[in-house]
């Protein structure tokens, strides 16, 4: 099967390598030469532009940042559409508004393709292992056509409905939870520090109790060691909580906690922390209150 | 060992029964005749007032609702203090402000007792099994004296420091997380419903992904079945998020997410939902937007 992967970032590279391992004929597409070279070294083919994908590509995975990039990668002047075989499966994997997911799927259907609204989660490590989670919506024919691709990149494929848009909806709601959980993890850790709790003891108690979340456990571990290299950056949640509040506004639906968390990530971005690991939204509280963070001393030593 | 338990509510009854099973001589104290009768049937002794506890009680577990009740149970006109043996261990287990925990411990020390600031978590089921978590702070002598009690009621005892107050601090920070996690679980589920997601599918995706929290998994399961009988009531979080914002204000520390969640539980209380299960804070969004909740149809059938 001739497969294209547009976007060789941390998730796209993992998916592309997983497809190679599954024995498919994979062409990766990324404007960055380093990403193309890495994928060629792994045994794949690579092109700089979606318009240069092999003619007759039968399945396409679009793993770019947002709806605008997805639109451009498919339908732009250098887009992939003319290179696709009729009836190709097209997986739209970026986190985007449900309306955007529906519009993209409609255009693909009109062009004779089989669209899947298929946002993913799991992070870079899971992507490398072919163990992503896919929150997918689309017709049975699209799922059938995409089956070898889904099998190669994911261990869990949720079939959320026939209508494109519901995959995007579930992903956006998921990001609401993820974003608020990160921000409140930071709020709680920061308050605990100011109140005199030992940060590690607080972490140990919370992670063994009913106040735990996946994000508290994962992100506050990084805050405890002062490791702010981004696995997922503050700016991702500026964007994703923006999608949450846009979707909510379009539905005339109040989301007070998501809106508050959005303000906190926006504050972290304003402080110049946008490319830091998202758990370091805690630096907003540090800036307001002057608390010392666990990794500060070591970081100071490095300077 | 002669032990007293003040407060035979869901947690106190569980602790008192666990102490009985451990072979200690236990007197429970509760103004409600039904609670006393239940404990007597289980093999214990029971009194209506703390002032009627056996003379020479060597360890006391105070499992009432708040600091004011704890103060009254110990130092009030019908309080336990005159009944305690010198050097008795006194476990103050209610969730309260750190300042209140420190004040109570100081009074107990002045009276020659060994105080432990020892808030608990785990819920009624864990209390019955003797499997609570205790977030404890106090001197080594207090921990030593209380050892048989702690062993009987808890499987996990955190020793958070020598100074009373730090147990209360960690518990209050834990409740910040717990309260915000419940409120945001409701916000996300409500938004998903309005956006057209299937509530059960949304639950399944979130609980298998990075957006999960202990509270989302536990409380939204009840929302899915429409079971609003309180294991933990909305009013508990009106109270506990009140403690969070009071502690934060005393420290001049901003807690925007906790403050927002407090408003949402307050709204649920205002709607007459204070004694419903805390996950049903989701009815605030229902009232604002008219969404249908999963259990509504069945509930309607019952009427």
């Amino acid at each position: 099967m001739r497969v294209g992967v547009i976007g060789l970032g941390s998730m796209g590279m993992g998916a592309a390598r997983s497809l190679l391992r599954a024995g498919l004929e994979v062409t990766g597409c990324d404007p960055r030469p380093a990403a193309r070279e890495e994928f060629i070294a792994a045994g794949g083919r690579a092109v700089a532009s979606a318009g240069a994908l092999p003619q007759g590509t039968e399945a396409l995975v679009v793993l770019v940042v947002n709806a605008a990039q997805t639109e451009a990668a498919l339908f732009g002047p250098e887009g992939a559409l003319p290179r696709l075989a009729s009836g190709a499966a097209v997986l739209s994997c970026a986190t985007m508004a449900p309306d955007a997911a529906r519009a993209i799927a409609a255009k693909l259907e009109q062009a004779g393709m089989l669209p899947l609204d298929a946002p993913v989660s799991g992070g870079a490590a899971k992507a490398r292992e072919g163990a992503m989670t896919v929150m997918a919506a689309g017709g049975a024919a699209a799922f059938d056509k995409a089956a070898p691709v889904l099998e190669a990149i994911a261990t869990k494929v949720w079939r959320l409905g026939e209508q494109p848009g519901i995959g995007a909806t579930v992903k956006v709601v998921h990001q609401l939870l993820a974003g608020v959980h990160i921000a409140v993890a930071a709020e709680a850790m920061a308050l605990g520090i100011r109140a005199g709790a030992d940060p590690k003891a607080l972490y140990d108690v919370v992670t063994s109790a009913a106040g735990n979340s996946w994000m508290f456990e994962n992100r506050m571990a990084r805050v405890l060691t002062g490791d702010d290299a981004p696995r997922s950056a503050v700016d991702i949640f500026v964007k994703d909580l923006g999608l949450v509040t846009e979707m909510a506004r379009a539905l005339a639906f109040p989301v007070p906690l998501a809106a508050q968390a959005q303000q906190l990530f926006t504050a972290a971005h304003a402080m110049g922390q946008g490319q830091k690991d998202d758990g370091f939204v805690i630096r907003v509280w540090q800036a307001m209150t002057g608390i010392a963070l666990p990794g500060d001393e070591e970081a100071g030593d490095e300077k």
Side-chain angles (χ1 to χ4, degrees), chain A:
Chain A
M1 191 175 198
R2 193 170 287 175
V3 184
V5 177
I6 301 182
L8 296 173
S10 60
M11 299 295 283
M13 183 67 81
R17 283 167 167 269
S18 300
L19 290 162
L20 273 185
R21 274 201 312 278
L24 305 179
E25 182 189 328
V26 189
T27 303
C29 170
D30 200 292
R32 295 166 304 147
R36 295 200 299 277
E37 283 157 23
E38 181 184 339
F39 187 57
I40 289 164
R45 298 173 56 184
V47 296
S49 149
L53 284 168
Q55 194 65 49
T57 292
E58 296 157 272
L60 185 64
V61 179
V62 188
L63 255 163
V64 294
V65 169
N66 55 26
Q69 286 189 11
T70 304
E71 276 272 347
L74 291 171
F75 311 116
E78 295 290 307
L81 194 60
R83 318 301 288 179
L84 301 180
S86 180
V90 180
L91 286 70
S92 169
C93 301
T95 301
M96 65 180 70
D99 284 346
R102 280 187 281 266
I104 287 168
K107 275 200 204 177
L108 285 167
E109 270 180 8
Q110 279 160 23
M113 306 301 160
L114 296 166
L116 274 187
D117 163 29
V120 296
S121 80
K126 295 264 187 182
R128 261 196 310 276
E129 298 160 17
M132 297 197 297
T133 294
V134 184
M135 307 171 195
F143 276 104
D144 289 348
K145 183 80 179 181
V149 172
L150 291 168
E151 196 169 327
I153 66 174
T155 45
K156 183 76 206 170
V157 178
W158 295 98
R159 291 184 72 145
L160 295 169
E162 298 271 316
Q163 297 304 320
I166 200 69
T169 298
V170 168
K171 179 71 194 286
V172 169
V173 172
H174 178 273
Q175 294 306 89
L176 184 167
L177 288 160
V180 173
H181 289 170
I182 294 168
V184 74
E187 178 169 301
M189 182 60 77
L191 176 63
I193 290 170
R194 167 54 50 89
D198 174 67
K200 180 64 166 62
L202 178 60
Y203 179 86
D204 289 341
V205 173
V206 167
T207 53
S208 72
N212 197 25
S213 71
W214 194 98
M215 285 296 180
F216 183 95
E217 187 158 349
N218 187 267
R219 299 308 207 265
M220 290 305 107
R222 299 178 194 170
V223 167
L224 285 181
T225 60
D227 175 12
D228 67 2
R231 278 67 150 198
S232 170
V234 160
D235 280 349
I236 297 288
F237 276 98
V238 173
K239 171 178 82 70
D240 284 2
L241 288 170
L243 288 174
V244 169
T245 51
E246 278 169 34
M247 180 174 109
R249 191 181 55 219
L251 294 164
F253 202 91
V255 285
L257 288 163
Q260 183 58 69
Q262 183 188 23
Q263 296 301 308
L264 292 161
F265 283 105
T266 301
H269 172 93
M271 287 172 57
Q273 302 289 316
Q275 289 305 308
K276 300 297 186 184
D277 194 74
D278 49 29
F280 286 80
V281 68
I282 197 171
R283 289 191 174 133
V284 174
W285 283 270
Q286 183 179 38
M288 292 190 288
T289 67
I291 55 166
L293 294 180
D296 282 354
E297 201 179 326
E298 291 85 337
D301 289 347
E302 283 169 23
K303 277 167 197 165

